[in-house]
Amino acid sequence: MYLSCLMFPLFSVCHPVEPLFSCYCFPAMLFPSAQRFKRSSAAFLNPVLQNSLEDVVLLYEFLLAELDIDKGQRISIKDEELASLRKAAEFDTICNEIIPKSITEIRRLTSRLSSYPRVLKKEDFERTVLTMVYTAYRAAQSQGHQKDTWAESFVNLYKALKHDLMFPYNKEPS
């Protein structure tokens, strides 16, 4: 926040002024890797899976069909028929290019989510859910302190999504 001083002949008045690119106007980007350019074109790497009810059902099928997560943390759909669908390519891009995979990146996301000033856009909600799915997988595959760390991140993502779903009802009456 900056101070702006207006000079009047006999006195000056100082008042707070938000900078032009304030976080109130432009909240922190939740998924910065979605704002990169695709290598093969000038378009942004910003796919959205759920544009219809059929897309929601298909995403559910992807998740039920069992995912394979290799040692490099690359996510793929095990079912070859489902993996061959056009939406599966978008799913692959979101899971392998956009959602955070390290505990540090996931904590950064939950921190941004906790201070997000409005309802999430559908693509951010979708990516947060997929990050939560990935975090649950990592918690299930980990042991000891690592398991606790992944489980804590899962809970924090859950709380952020619950807050987002309840956002309109959390507003205090004016």
Side-chain angles (χ1 to χ4, degrees), residues 72-108:
Q73 303 311 313
R74 186 146 186 86
I75 301 169
S76 58
I77 301 168
K78 281 189 175 182
D79 184 298
E80 291 181 18
E81 184 178 340
L82 283 175
S84 68
L85 297 174
R86 184 176 186 200
K87 279 289 182 180
E90 292 174 4
F91 178 80
D92 182 80
T93 300
I94 292 169
C95 290
N96 295 308
E97 305 294 331
I98 296 176
I99 67 166
K101 299 277 184 56
S102 75
I103 200 68
T104 304
E105 292 171 328
I106 292 170
R107 284 181 172 165
R108 188 176 299 122

Side-chain angles (χ1 to χ4, degrees), residues 109-116 160 163:
L109 172 63
T110 55
S111 173
R112 288 178 184 151
L113 287 167
S114 70
S115 62
Y116 202 72
H163 178 266

Side-chain angles (χ1 to χ4, degrees), residues 16-28:
V17 175
E18 289 296 326
L20 181 59
F21 297 105
S22 164
C23 65
Y24 297 107
C25 297
F26 303 103

Side-chain angles (χ1 to χ4, degrees), residues 27 29 36 46 66 75 88 108 127 133 141 148 153:
M29 201 176 308
R36 294 182 307 180
N46 198 16
E66 195 173 353
I75 301 169
R108 188 176 299 122
R127 293 167 187 162
V133 168
Q141 299 301 316
D148 295 341
S153 294

